[in-house]
Amino acid sequence: MFREEGCNSSKIRDIEAFIDETYQEFRGSASYARYRKPSFDENKDGGTRISSLVAPYFDMETEAFLDRRDKCEDGHMKMMQRLVEAYQHGGTSVEELHMACTLDQSYYTSLSDSNDRDRDQVVFRFHSRGQDAAPQRDKGLDTANDGTKEPYNVPIKRARARRKGKSMGKLAMVSQLWLWKIDEDIIITAFPERWHGGYEKDILGHILGNLYDSPPSSFDQMVGSILQSCVGFVDAPSNAGLDENLFNIFEESIARVANNETIRYQKFCKHQQVCAEVNQKIRKGEKMSSEEIKAFRSTEDKICDITEEVKHLEEIKDIRDELRMVGRVLEDQKTVLRKYQADKTDRLGPDVLLKLELRERKAKMLGAEAESVENSLRNLLDLKQKQGNLNEARDTKKLADEAEKRALADKTQSKLLSVFTFVTVIYTPLAFISALFAIPSSDYPGGNNGNGATWRWWQILAGSLVAEIFTSLLIFAYWWGIHKKDGIKSKRSGRSRLISDLPRAITWETDEGSTEKSAHVELVGVKVDE
């Protein structure tokens, strides 16, 4: 192009050298992580006045963008696929291409596959829920916050496409504007094209619409209008093709999680009140039916159930994460804008930076609200955990009380058995002697006269004493044998512990200035020196 315009070779070399110097490409480990560092550079020293500008901006894609490698039904998407293949067949790797990235891809440059994160995007969830709340007018032109109008009846076409069922889930994308201004009569712009062929206004249509509504008087003003269009694309009537303001989507999502968190708090308080009433009945000793006990156990399980809270916590953490990504894009935009109007304040409109700072403050405010909701969810989880600990402590105390009652019952029963055993030990020998002396035998004294045996009192007493002593000796011998057996086992276990502890009981001590060493062996208080 420059050769056709009659540019000399030195000027072409200066342009090429400046472009190579200001290219500043970043490459991550992922194949999609290819983008230039946001910047504005200007060459004022040489004969050729040339400037380079790189600025990120928000854009959109549909759900079909995630499945473009598996199925490609849209005609425009097929054309984009053939374009990529043409670059591959031409000898240039597709990894050299700079294409638009999803919001997660623009931040995480090392993910091998971001498909799951992209499908969990806040914007994607918002459109998947069918809560596209932006009102669409069937006629007339949409008006943006800055007073510009949306031409080509885009809202009408978008409404017709939605009625035909062509509306799909949408994704927030981050693209880059590349701009070179050479001398005072050449401006070159480059930005990625969308993969889907929809009716949403793209960045080129937005730029042309702004230039048509407010024609620039100089090339500097044209560059400023292009940069302003890219930075404000997210607030344009089409809202970067999202049909709803990006920050409104985040605000609605945060409000939705906050409402769910409030509902979970109310349910927690309600279930806790039910459990408190039942516990009060139990303390009063009131009887409960099996259905009431079953309902009480179910309510206790619901109090400690944290499934929904974990889901909401995951969602709000994802919202905070994406707000950080949005904030970084806004920060890069502000850096480029400040560099661009560092020398000439009239290059941009008076309120461009102000609007950008308002978006940045909005993102920070939303981040603070999301953090507050996250803290509330964490507090609720903490309360549920404490309630679970209380329930566990109560059940443990109940089991301990039952064990104590059983121990008291066993102790009472043991005392009764001891009394019974003592009575049995005393009266069993007496009953034996009484039965023995009552046997009608002719060998007993007076047993031959037919009137039975005649025993004197001291004979019965002596026999009873002998029986009692003999029984006591048997019981004592049995007890002594068991006790001796247990003592032998305890001595053996004690010796084994001494042997196992022997290596640890040996210490070596060396006095300073002396070469003599002494070994001390300590075994159960016995100290042996060697």
Side-chain angles (χ1 to χ4, degrees):
M1 181 184 71
F2 296 112
R3 290 187 176 89
E4 292 176 358
E5 295 291 335
C7 296
N8 55 42
S9 58
S10 62
K11 184 175 182 178
I12 295 176
R13 286 195 298 271
D14 291 342
I15 294 173
E16 291 177 349
F18 179 79
I19 292 176
D20 292 340
E21 181 182 354
T22 59
Y23 194 69
Q24 298 181 4
E25 182 187 35
F26 172 83
R27 292 193 176 193
S29 58
S31 59
Y32 56 80
R34 302 288 186 273
Y35 60 87
R36 292 178 61 188
K37 181 180 178 181
S39 61
F40 173 74
D41 300 289
E42 192 171 11
N43 183 16
K44 300 179 181 180
D45 298 333
T48 304
R49 295 178 59 85
I50 180 173
S51 57
S52 172
L53 187 146
V54 181
Y57 65 92
F58 294 102
D59 202 355
M60 61 79 64
E61 281 287 358
T62 61
E63 184 179 0
F65 175 79
L66 302 176
D67 303 325
R68 64 189 184 279
R69 295 182 179 87
D70 300 330
K71 54 183 180 180
C72 192
E73 301 176 355
D74 185 77
H76 183 75
M77 190 168 291
K78 291 181 180 179
M79 185 270 293
M80 293 291 293
Q81 191 69 33
R82 288 195 297 268
L83 181 61
V84 172
E85 293 174 357
Y87 272 93
Q88 289 177 321
H89 294 321
T92 302
S93 173
V94 71
E95 294 185 358
E96 300 294 333
L97 294 176
H98 286 229
M99 292 182 280
C101 298
T102 63
L103 188 60
D104 291 274
Q105 289 177 348
S106 67
Y107 191 84
Y108 298 102
T109 59
S110 60
L111 294 177
S112 58
D113 185 11
S114 64
N115 197 16
D116 293 337
R117 294 186 64 92
D118 295 334
R119 293 186 184 277
D120 199 38
Q121 196 181 99
V122 175
V123 174
F124 186 83
R125 287 199 302 262
F126 176 82
H127 286 281
S128 298
R129 289 194 297 264
Q131 297 181 358
D132 193 355
Q136 301 296 329
R137 291 185 285 273
D138 290 337
K139 58 182 179 179
L141 299 179
D142 251 355
T143 303
N145 297 331
D146 56 0
T148 59
K149 296 183 178 180
E150 186 176 37
Y152 314 127
N153 290 329
V154 173
I156 300 175
K157 294 182 179 181
R158 191 185 307 118
R160 290 174 181 172
R162 188 177 295 105
R163 284 195 296 267
K164 292 179 181 180
K166 294 182 179 180
S167 181
M168 300 180 65
K170 295 183 178 181
L171 295 167
M173 307 289 291
V174 178
S175 302
Q176 281 191 335
L177 164 70
W178 296 359
L179 186 146
W180 292 274
K181 177 176 174 292
I182 302 173
D183 290 334
E184 297 297 333
D185 54 356
I186 298 176
I187 294 179
I188 303 174
T189 59
F191 32 76
E193 189 174 359
R194 290 174 180 166
W195 278 72
H196 78 285
Y199 291 101
E200 299 87 1
K201 189 202 305 192
D202 58 6
I203 186 64
L204 179 59
H206 182 58
I207 292 174
L208 294 177
N210 288 343
L211 293 176
Y212 178 81
D213 293 335
S214 301
S217 58
S218 65
F219 277 86
D220 283 339
Q221 288 187 1
M222 180 179 289
V223 173
S225 178
I226 294 173
L227 181 58
Q228 180 179 351
S229 299
C230 290
V231 173
F233 191 40
V234 70
D235 281 340
S238 64
N239 295 288
L242 297 174
D243 300 330
E244 177 69 24
N245 187 278
L246 179 65
F247 299 104
N248 290 347
I249 293 176
F250 277 95
E251 189 171 10
E252 187 277 335
S253 301
I254 294 173
R256 178 175 174 273
V257 178
N259 181 60
N260 292 332
E261 176 263 333
T262 302
I263 293 175
R264 299 304 300 176
Y265 257 112
Q266 292 174 351
K267 289 184 177 180
F268 174 76
C269 295
K270 180 180 178 181
H271 294 156
Q272 192 180 38
Q273 183 65 27
V274 172
C275 291
E277 293 175 357
V278 174
N279 288 327
Q280 188 174 3
K281 290 182 180 180
I282 294 175
R283 285 193 295 268
K284 290 181 178 180
E286 298 181 7
K287 294 184 179 180
M288 296 177 59
S289 63
S290 59
E291 290 78 7
E292 291 178 341
I293 295 176
K294 185 177 180 180
F296 172 66
R297 295 302 180 188
S298 177
T299 304
E300 280 192 331
D301 294 338
K302 291 179 181 179
I303 285 181
C304 301
D305 185 16
I306 60 173
T307 304
E308 293 298 324
E309 286 77 6
V310 171
K311 289 181 180 179
H312 299 326
L313 184 62
E314 180 185 10
E315 184 175 358
I316 199 66
K317 285 176 67 66
D318 189 62
I319 292 174
R320 289 190 63 192
D321 192 25
E322 293 189 20
L323 283 172
R324 284 194 296 268
M325 303 175 195
V326 171
R328 193 179 75 165
V329 175
L330 296 175
E331 181 66 28
D332 291 340
Q333 289 179 347
K334 185 169 67 174
T335 301
V336 175
L337 288 178
R338 287 180 174 175
K339 286 184 178 180
Y340 180 69
Q341 66 170 7
D343 298 334
K344 298 180 180 180
T345 57
D346 58 345
R347 283 180 167 178
L348 295 172
D351 57 347
V352 176
L353 265 176
L354 178 61
K355 290 181 179 180
L356 182 57
E357 290 175 354
L358 289 176
R359 298 187 200 104
E360 197 172 18
R361 285 199 291 269
K362 179 70 171 180
K364 292 181 179 179
M365 182 189 69
L366 292 175
E369 292 179 0
E371 183 180 5
S372 176
V373 175
E374 181 181 351
N375 292 334
S376 298
L377 284 170
R378 292 186 183 277
N379 292 336
L380 179 57
L381 288 172
D382 184 61
L383 287 175
K384 286 200 168 188
Q385 183 180 6
K386 290 179 178 179
Q387 183 64 43
N389 294 336
L390 289 175
N391 293 342
E392 185 177 357
R394 184 200 61 199
D395 295 339
T396 303
K397 184 178 181 299
K398 184 177 179 180
L399 293 175
D401 293 340
E402 292 178 357
E404 184 178 0
K405 290 180 180 179
R406 289 195 297 268
L408 291 175
D410 294 341
K411 187 176 181 181
T412 303
Q413 187 177 7
S414 177
K415 290 181 178 179
L416 293 176
L417 290 176
S418 299
V419 174
F420 177 77
T421 303
F422 178 77
V423 173
T424 303
V425 169
I426 296 298
Y427 285 94
T428 297
L430 296 179
F432 172 76
I433 293 300
S434 299
L436 181 65
F437 285 172
I439 296 176
S441 175
S442 58
D443 295 331
Y444 289 162
N448 294 326
N449 55 10
N451 296 325
T454 56
W455 298 97
R456 297 186 180 276
W457 65 268
W458 58 268
Q459 292 176 332
I460 296 175
L461 178 62
S464 299
L465 291 176
V466 170
E468 291 288 347
I469 293 172
F470 180 75
T471 304
S472 300
L473 288 176
L474 287 177
I475 294 174
F476 177 77
Y478 177 77
W479 173 83
W480 183 78
I482 293 178
H483 181 71
K484 184 177 181 181
K485 185 177 181 180
D486 294 338
I488 294 173
K489 288 182 178 179
S490 62
K491 287 182 179 180
R492 289 179 179 178
S493 61
R495 290 177 182 177
S496 62
R497 285 196 300 270
L498 286 175
I499 295 174
S500 63
D501 293 340
L502 181 60
R504 289 178 291 178
I506 300 177
T507 59
W508 292 86
E509 297 181 358
T510 304
D511 297 334
E512 295 183 0
S514 175
T515 59
E516 296 181 357
K517 298 180 180 179
S518 60
H520 301 278
V521 182
E522 299 179 3
L523 296 177
V524 197
V526 180
K527 187 174 181 180
V528 181
D529 293 341
E530 293 181 359

